[in-house]
Amino acid sequence: MPNTFSAAPARTGTVTRRSIVAGAAWTAPLVVAAASAPFASASTTCVPAGTLFNSQARGLLVSGTLGGINLNSALQLASATALETAGGPTTTVVSNPLSVTALSAIQVNLGGVATALTDVLTGLAGVNSGVVAQYASASETGLSIGASGAVSNTGAIALNTGSTGVPQLAQLDLHTILQNVTGSPAAAALVSQVTALNLSIGAAAGRNFADSTCTPPQQLTREYLLAYLRLALQSTVVDNLLSSLTTSLGTLTISTDDVWDTLGDVALLGPLLAALGRDALNVSVSVNTAALTATPIPNVANSALQLNLGTGSATVDLAALLGGAYTGEISPWLNNLAPNTRLFADAALPTGAVTALLDSFVDDLIARLGDLVTLNITAGSVTGLGATGLRISGTLTQFLSGTATTTLVLLGAPIPLGALLGPLLGSLGGLVTDALDTLLRPNGVLNAVFNPLNVLLDGLFTVLTNVLVLTINGQNQAPGTVPSDLAALPANRLDTAALHVGVVGALDLLDLFIARGSSGPNTQRVV
């Protein structure tokens, strides 16, 4: 549900939008202007000092709709809700984890089958440990703070982009969700290609702080944190890729003529080669393909594409895919997005993304093969009285690094190559790298092998663009396309959610908010 916004005039005060923990060095100003909200007023109006308010705040780790169930109602008692009214304390504070009992009791309706919420949104059953919490504080002075997720017992976001040991918050079973999407050939095609598809949600937090003593608020902080978003899928496409690679790598050969010519480029080897003759040269290559399944390729968690050939699974890191490579456990790009940034729309898929992903995977695969490919070059004999021959052996990595085992003998006397040895070994290793590159590139000999993976990734990105909605830094009364659940809130209530996940045209099926903080509505008390 799009809202239209226009820039508000400059004004004094401390209206800010921050994406990570308070005090981040890149904190940036936000001017919020909504056509239907009091924020759009051209002037500031403040109440007299000492005015008291009935205030509200909420911390909602999980909210929205899933499988036809309104989680706002179902988890109302399990959220952190602070209500400050006359006759109570000056400030009401509520801080608690999301109840495992409350989560486990909710049944959602997917395809006419009652399914436990914790079977579709897994991992949340462990939120009672660690820093995951819900926090709400409401004061009679008009200040209200709502926060949830990776927040402390004072409502502050407890992580930043330099944090380590960052946990996963939850996994959302998108395969089950997409099975219940009707009228979408793209969704149906993807479901037929995968046996599992999960959205892995890293540590998340949403926080909203508002001071209602002035309109528009002169103290407003809306901040979020989302460590990472990854899609993990299981598919026979990956299984078949392993089988094809194993067969194809078993046919890897290096031209004896190319090796001979490379050796001949070293002048000091002329007499040796002349004594041996070309027909004496033997070249063999072997590949330990079984070791390809030992660890994922590449073995880096935040790679844009990672394949685990041993388990037939693939993982796509959405932050690395859309925002570029990052180090550490939390993506800076993912945590510096404008309000209501929809992935694959506002943050679009780069042109040629599938081709780039496959090229990068082949680079990583060749790097992995460096320790798994062994090259042996022999001719004549290198032992015995008056021996003449050569023996060069090692892994591809050893050849490229100049450390392969090398023995060169002419009439029993070693041939010292000195500084020429490293470049020679590197050139021989280059022959292997070129052969692998020719064999493995998606547009090369094995094009038919990589095409199913190409189709799978293309279908996945089509669904992410046209069927699913992934919104980061979800806010009401803010620029961008406001998620409908937030757009329906009262104008003087302010919510910020780290993540919104929905299905186009089927919000009753999925309209989920993760790590949400809410402030207001706060109203002046009648004296």
Side-chain angles (χ1 to χ4, degrees), residues 71 96 105 169 194 204 229 363 407 467 502:
L71 300 177
N96 59 44
L169 176 63
V194 300
L229 271 183
D363 288 340
T407 305
V467 180

Side-chain angles (χ1 to χ4, degrees), residues 217-308:
Q218 296 303 285
Q219 294 188 69
L220 171 61
T221 301
R222 314 180 82 159
E223 53 189 353
Y224 75 100
L225 177 137
L226 185 57
Y228 58 80
L229 271 183
R230 296 179 184 135
L231 283 166
L233 62 86
Q234 198 88 18
S235 175
T236 55
V237 169
V238 183
D239 290 324
N240 295 338
L241 178 62
L242 172 63
S243 176
S244 298
L245 286 175
T246 299
T247 300
S248 300
L249 287 170
T251 67
L252 181 67
T253 57
I254 305 300
S255 166
T256 301
D257 288 341
D258 288 344
V259 171
W260 180 269
D261 291 343
T262 301
L263 292 170
D265 288 339
V266 181
L268 288 179
L269 294 181
L272 174 63
L273 297 178
L276 292 171
R278 184 185 295 258
D279 292 340
L281 186 65
N282 295 297
V283 179
S284 65
V285 181
S286 61
V287 184
N288 179 13
T289 54
L292 285 174
T293 62
T295 57
I297 303 173
N299 196 17
V300 179
N302 50 10
S303 300
L305 174 65
Q306 181 189 73
L307 298 185
N308 190 325

Side-chain angles (χ1 to χ4, degrees), residues 10-151:
R11 53 180 178 254
T12 59
T14 56
V15 182
T16 62
R17 188 250 325 152
R18 297 178 299 175
S19 298
I20 303 287
V21 68
W26 39 262
T27 295
L30 168 68
V31 177
V32 184
S36 61
F39 290 76
S41 59
S43 60
T44 300
T45 303
C46 298
V47 299
T51 300
L52 300 182
F53 289 80
N54 292 327
S55 301
Q56 304 179 46
R58 299 156 204 82
L60 308 101
L61 184 60
V62 179
S63 58
T65 302
L66 200 161
I69 299 300
N70 186 327
L71 300 177
N72 300 333
S73 300
L75 291 173
Q76 182 177 8
L77 296 180
S79 66
T81 301
L83 300 175
E84 173 61 29
T85 57
T90 57
T91 301
T92 298
V93 177
V94 178
S95 179
N96 59 44
L98 182 59
S99 166
V100 173
T101 301
L103 279 172
S104 303
I106 296 176
Q107 297 285 309
V108 296
N109 186 348
L110 295 171
V113 178
T115 305
L117 171 63
T118 49
D119 287 340
V120 182
L121 187 61
T122 60
L124 285 173
V127 298
N128 281 340
S129 60
V131 297
V132 178
Q134 301 176 125
Y135 176 90
S137 173
S139 171
E140 65 179 13
T141 62
L143 295 175
S144 54
I145 304 171
S148 69
V151 298

